[in-house]
Each structure stands twice: as structure tokens, then as C-alpha cells.
Amino acid sequence: MITSNGDTYDHTAHVDPLSALRAPDDPECDVYLTGTVFLDIIFTGLASAPVRGTESWARGMGSSPGGIANMATALARLGLRTSLSAAFGDDHYGEYCWDALEHGEGIDLSRSRTVAGWHSPVTVSMAYEGERTMVSHGHEAPPPEGALPECPPRARAAVAALTPGRRDEWIAHAARHGARIFADVGWDDTGRWDLSGLADLEHCEAFLPNAEEAMRYTRTDCPRAAARLLAERVPVAVVTLGAEGAYAVDGATGETAAVPAIAVEALDPTGAGDVFVAGFVTGTLAGWPLADRLAFAGLTAALSVQEFGGSLSAPGWAEVAAWWSYVRACSDQDPAALRRYAFLGELLPAPTRPWPLRRAVPTIGFGRSG
């Protein structure tokens, strides 16, 4: 990532969470994903929601690749070799997003394409009172012309967004070729909330809805009960509980895990769900226990909401190391809570920057003269 003074800052801190597992015949990437890349423009520091007929001023603003780029960036910053298949416009927004992902984050875009004459989708996000309101605009990319690289590639894992009533053939293809499928789901606009309508759930190793989605799909009024029912349909069910943390059930072993949320001052929750999934995928591929995976996912999500935007706020190992160094030095920390994260000690590099970290906010249009 390029900072405000032109230096390069490496979020990964050269940590490879899968180093002990790598072998010559490994898949070409760790995680594959596909979807729509947006150009996100984020306003923060609003006193309240915008009011019709008035002008609101935000204290902060940032811009970064968004949409599926949030997840791809979060995975790459945690040291996973990430391959993204997406369409990019040939406008300045598209060029910016491509460069930020390929050169800034090291994401493989060999299966992505630039579409002539197609403008990039855009989302404006306004953060206030710990929540956000978003306005988006875009058109579906035209179908590709000619042959594209085989999609998806052979990968250790793939992250999918399930769509009610629809199958995505690439998910079954990835699963047949050995990829472990991690899936989330969006709001069901049909209002049916029919779990059998999530046809690709049969290919998934883990399903990670939020509490409201989980309860609607299972017709329950308790997130934990919903997780237990979902674990009858998928090997691992993880339900995110917002300010109450997360709860997971391993359907094969019956193991459960619950981790409370980390209290932070939230600046912008954009992309926190994507970061949570990325943290859980990382821990799963590394072979960590269920409770450690859940704790790490919650930690990375908590770190992300303290910064602007989705992809921009995704933490890397440097941020995690700085946080761990900071909380261990605080005299008022609960010893039991510290023990919950003790597994980080063997993973993390020595912190190179103090906590809290502040990143530069890239803004399209700045250049260098001369």
C-alpha cells in the first residue's frame, strides 16, 4: 500500500500462515473468489443521517476498491495467495481499482478482464452512529468476448456468496477439484427465506450468515439454536452476533465455540463481515482449533471497523501484532481474555509500528508533477 509520503507499507509483515503446509504440488492459489468490484467513496464523521433538503459535511473521506475487493484484500493481507475474477471498467475508476489490487495488494488478476466502454460500479457509503448508509450505481458487465482462462483455478479454498434460488456452476466446479467452500449470504429480497433454495450449500464446508439471516432461514428466535440447525446442513455453521461476538458449531464433532466481541470505537463498519470471513478462512486453512479461528475472525473484524472503508480498513499481520503488543501491556486487561488470544504469540512478528495504527487514505486524482 502507498502511504501519504510515497512510501510502501506492507500489511502482511511477511507472515505466511500456511508456510508449514506448503508443498511442491500445491494448488496455484490459496483462495479463489469472483464477483463485482466497486469503487467505494466513504464519508465518515457525520453527526447524523443526511436530512432531505440539507447539506451535510463529513469530517473524513476515503476511496478504495470495494465490493468483492473487500474480501480479496482482507485475504491477501493475511498472507493468503488470492486469485480474483472480476470485470473492470476502462475508466479511471477501473484503472485505479485494478492497480490498487494487483500492485498494491498482490492479488492475482489473471482471470479478470477490462471491459471497454463499461463504466465502473460506484458505491457511496456514509458512516454515522456506528452504522452506514450506502448508495450504489452500476450496470452488469457485458458478457466476455472470446476465450477466458479456465475459471476457477485449482485452489485450497473458495469464498462464495450464495443466491437464493440460483446455482453457480463455478462453486460445484471448485468443490469437485478439491477447494473448500466458505459461503455467506445476503438479504433474501423474495422474503421466502427457504434454506432449500440455497442449492450450493451442499458444496460448502462452512456457512457464515449473520444472526438475523440465520434465524430467518431456520425459523428460530435464537442465533445459537439457528447455528445448531444449520450445522445439520453444512459441516461448520458460524453465526455472527454483532456486538455480542460470534458462535460456531462443528456439525461433524458437535464442538461449539463462542467468542465475545472486542470492544472498539467504530469509525466505519463497511466490509467488517468480509474481514470476519477472511480471518475464519485463514485459521481454517492453517488448521487452527475452532475457537481460535472464531477469535481471530472476530479480532480482525474489530480492527477493521476502526478505519475507513472496506478494503482500505482490512488489517494485516502488522496491525494484529501491534494490537497484541498493546493489549498485553495494558494493566487493566482481563487475564482470561488475554489467554483467549495467547495462540497469537507463536504467529506474530515483532510489532514495527505503535498502536493505534493510522493509515493513509488514498484519494483518486492526486498525482506528481514533474
Side-chain angles (χ1 to χ4, degrees), residues 90-270:
D90 63 349
D91 51 14
H92 289 308
Y93 288 172
E95 293 173 359
Y96 165 77
C97 288
W98 185 294
D99 183 69
L101 295 174
E102 183 176 57
H103 300 294
E105 305 295 347
I107 295 168
D108 171 29
L109 298 181
S110 62
R111 286 170 173 79
S112 293
R113 60 193 174 104
T114 297
V115 181
W118 179 65
H119 75 75
S120 300
V122 175
T123 291
V124 175
S125 176
M126 293 162 281
Y128 52 88
E129 299 175 354
E131 267 300 338
R132 77 243 171 140
T133 296
M134 295 183 290
V135 178
S136 297
H137 174 72
H139 303 283
E140 186 174 351
E145 297 179 1
L148 289 174
E150 181 185 0
C151 190
R154 196 165 68 94
R156 295 177 189 267
V159 180
L162 303 185
T163 304
R166 191 183 82 187
R167 282 188 181 272
D168 286 312
E169 179 54 35
W170 76 264
I171 298 175
H173 175 98
R176 286 194 301 269
H177 288 79
R180 304 163 72 175
I181 310 298
F182 298 78
D184 60 10
V185 67
W187 191 257
D188 185 356
D189 292 327
T190 70
R192 297 188 184 95
W193 297 99
D194 180 10
L195 197 58
S196 64
L198 300 179
D200 286 319
L201 195 61
E202 65 181 354
H203 303 299
C204 297
E205 174 174 328
F207 183 43
L208 301 96
N210 64 35
E212 184 68 21
E213 294 159 351
M215 291 188 292
R216 285 178 179 267
Y217 272 116
T218 57
R219 308 295 192 270
T220 62
D221 57 5
C222 171
R224 296 191 178 208
R228 290 191 290 270
L229 286 174
L230 290 173
E232 297 176 2
R233 301 286 298 270
V234 67
V236 178
V238 179
V239 176
T240 56
L241 309 174
E244 297 180 15
Y247 181 73
V249 179
D250 186 320
T253 66
E255 180 185 5
T256 64
V259 175
I262 296 174
V264 295
E265 183 177 347
L267 174 65
D268 178 13
T270 303

Side-chain angles (χ1 to χ4, degrees), residues 261-330:
I262 296 174
V264 295
E265 183 177 347
L267 174 65
D268 178 13
T270 303
D274 296 321
V275 172
F276 182 95
V277 174
F280 192 82
V281 170
T282 301
T284 302
L285 294 185
W288 301 350
L290 181 61
D292 289 354
R293 287 181 264 162
L294 203 62
F296 184 71
L299 168 60
T300 54
L303 295 180
S304 77
V305 302
Q306 298 176 96
E307 300 289 345
F308 284 106
S311 64
L312 186 64
S313 68
W317 290 104
E319 284 86 351
V320 177
W323 173 83
W324 181 234
S325 176
Y326 170 77
V327 296
R328 283 185 300 155
C330 292

